[in-house]
Amino acid sequence: MIIKNVRILGGEPVDLRIADGRIAEIGTGLGAGPGGGETVEGGGAIALPGLVDLHTHLREPGREDAETVQTGTRSAARGGYTAVHAMANTSPVADTAGVVEQVWRLGREFGHCDVQPVGAVTVGLEGRQLAELGAMADSAARVRVFSDDGKCVSDAVLMRRALEYVKAFDGVVAQHAQEPRLTEGAQMNEGVVSGRLGLTGWPAVAEEAVIARDCLLAAHVGSRLHVCHVSTAGSVEIIRWAKSKGWNITAEVTPHHLLLTDDLVEESPVGAYNPIYKVNPPLRTHADVQALRAALADGTIDVVATDHAPHPVEDKETEWPAAAMGMIGLETALSVVQEAMVETGLLDWAGVAERMSLTPARIGRLSGHGRPLEPGAPANITLYDPSARTEVDPSAYASKSRNTPYEGMTLPGRVVATFLRGTPTVLEGKLV
Ligand SMILES: [Zn+2]
């Protein structure tokens, strides 16, 4: 197959020849050759290495009313992803070799991208007893990322043991940093808006205190720590300090924390108190957003991860205090990053590729993904048209859920095509 007229990382137009699932040749004026073969017209689109998400909730097993491996990976493919890490807070929890292998097998059977299961750190996400980390690492799913995401591993001794344990197989603990006592009943960011609205606040310190502790623990035991969905300016300062020590710490930010603020809870196009903006960690202030953008630009924050969190309508369209926390994000991630980071001059397309493909693949130890687009690399490719403008219409999404905070907004860019090992999963913006 020949992919004609694409611009790798926004460079000069070239053609790609794909053979046996790999990039065989990059040049100009490439033809299909005597054997014929398919030609895909790239139309000058930007070619990026297939995106890799470190933080996706696919909800299967247990909440197939919200999402399944099939619908979630369709959503991922439409967003330009070729691999996602499936979070462990399913039902049953992915805390044994049996459950992670079940998710891995579902991915092989129904996935429109690769599905890499994340294993729970503690049994049942209950924070009392370490899960079978070694058995999950040795399983067919070859788990390397462990997280109780949705909940924080708040017990310092358990966190220390988990960090020590994963060293044996080059694993990483991905922490959802939320001090539980400081966030009991929390509904939104603690600040002037929560004060005016009378909603219980989720203070920045509840995130920052856990991140500081975990950085110190990771350094103490010489292990790898990954910080999930960093949301505050103070967290950025702590991670910057920890990295300056040479400690092995990585961090992610979500697209929504790069674009949206807590003011939306009070005043938005969809009215006040609209639970579409309810998410954990919560939307923060304008100053936090600016700090997160700067941190992603300078590498203090390593990657963008979606925290794609599908919920059925009945769990979201309800009173604010009763509504579920979370937003979907796979199909808008690249557009939001373009809006927040590229259009502002903070990142070029090479920087986007680093933060949405190369580095997340490296953190997750996915050897077949996140490779620069060059001859010999697996043909995991995303074609993206940054000049498109699209009004967000969740009814058109492949996700089973509709809880996007961008409904009605016009976002830049459009995923034109996605290729998984040379096989198109999306062409002309549509699922294949
Ligand atoms: Zn989380």
Side-chain angles (χ1 to χ4, degrees), residues 7-23:
R7 297 181 296 126
I8 295 174
L9 306 180
E12 292 300 309
V14 292
D15 307 332
L16 309 180
R17 190 161 64 79
I18 310 296
D20 302 323
R22 293 184 177 271
I23 298 172

Side-chain angles (χ1 to χ4, degrees), residues 61-409:
R63 286 306 302 268
E64 291 84 353
D65 56 329
E67 197 79 285
T68 64
V69 168
Q70 185 172 51
T71 60
T73 58
R74 280 181 176 157
S75 186
R78 281 202 55 188
Y81 287 88
T82 53
V84 298
H85 287 75
M87 274 299 171
N89 62 338
T90 47
S91 178
V93 171
D95 58 2
T96 63
V99 180
V100 294
E101 284 187 346
Q102 180 189 354
V103 173
W104 178 76
R105 264 189 237 104
L106 285 167
R108 304 257 291 196
E109 190 168 351
F110 299 108
H112 293 248
C113 67
D114 285 349
V115 174
Q116 176 57 51
V118 173
V121 175
T122 69
V123 174
L125 309 177
E126 287 177 350
R128 285 199 276 275
Q129 184 189 340
L130 277 192
E132 304 168 359
L133 308 184
M136 289 189 272
D138 289 342
S139 75
R142 295 185 54 78
V143 175
R144 290 295 177 273
V145 182
F146 296 87
S147 182
D148 273 3
D149 183 61
K151 290 185 176 171
C152 181
V153 181
S154 61
D155 184 298
V157 174
L158 269 179
M159 187 63 184
R160 174 187 179 160
R161 289 213 189 103
L163 287 164
E164 285 170 342
Y165 206 124
V166 299
K167 273 173 77 175
F169 37 81
D170 194 29
V172 62
V173 179
Q175 175 72 293
H176 167 120
Q178 176 181 5
E179 208 293 313
R181 290 273 291 139
L182 285 168
T183 51
E184 277 176 15
Q187 295 291 327
M188 67 172 294
N189 179 48
E190 180 178 305
V192 290
V193 181
S194 68
R196 275 202 296 271
L197 296 179
L199 290 172
T200 307
W202 195 135
V205 62
E207 174 173 304
E208 293 156 5
V210 172
I211 292 175
R213 181 204 73 177
D214 288 352
C215 287
L216 294 165
L217 279 175
H220 183 62
V221 306
S223 190
R224 277 210 292 150
L225 169 73
H226 178 73
V227 184
C228 295
H229 42 50
V230 173
S231 73
T232 80
S235 298
V236 166
E237 287 308 305
I238 292 161
I239 293 163
R240 192 172 279 137
W241 167 77
K243 285 190 163 189
S244 77
K245 301 282 202 182
W247 299 344
N248 206 345
I249 287 151
T250 55
E252 71 189 34
V253 63
T254 71
H256 47 271
H257 287 110
L258 291 171
L259 194 65
L260 307 177
T261 63
D262 64 350
D263 306 293
L264 290 162
V265 184
E266 186 172 35
E267 193 179 337
S268 84
V270 289
Y273 293 99
N274 192 315
I276 201 74
Y277 301 116
K278 187 172 176 183
V279 64
N280 192 18
L283 301 178
R284 303 289 188 182
T285 68
H286 180 72
D288 293 307
V289 168
Q290 295 306 311
L292 293 167
R293 289 181 179 186
L296 184 64
D298 73 18
T300 301
I301 294 177
D302 303 82
V303 304
V304 175
T306 66
D307 196 6
H308 177 83
H311 291 290
V313 167
E314 59 271 24
D315 290 355
K316 278 307 263 189
E317 293 183 7
T318 177
E319 299 275 286
W320 180 284
M325 297 190 190
M327 304 168 165
I328 58 172
L330 286 167
E331 288 171 73
T332 44
L334 198 44
S335 289
V336 172
V337 169
Q338 183 184 346
E339 169 104 353
M341 301 299 295
V342 180
E343 312 249 301
T344 52
L346 289 166
L347 280 185
D348 58 14
W349 293 106
V352 171
E354 282 282 348
R355 286 154 184 81
M356 297 184 76
S357 177
L358 276 63
T359 308
R362 195 157 59 236
I363 293 168
R365 299 296 191 248
L366 295 185
S367 57
H369 289 272
R371 302 266 298 276
L373 298 181
E374 53 194 30
N380 297 318
I381 305 167
T382 301
L383 302 186
Y384 185 71
D385 173 10
S387 67
R389 290 289 178 277
T390 316
E391 186 175 325
V392 175
D393 173 13
S395 70
Y397 282 171
S399 172
K400 210 167 194 179
S401 291
R402 296 287 173 261
N403 51 305
T404 171
Y406 311 112
E407 182 169 4
M409 283 176 67

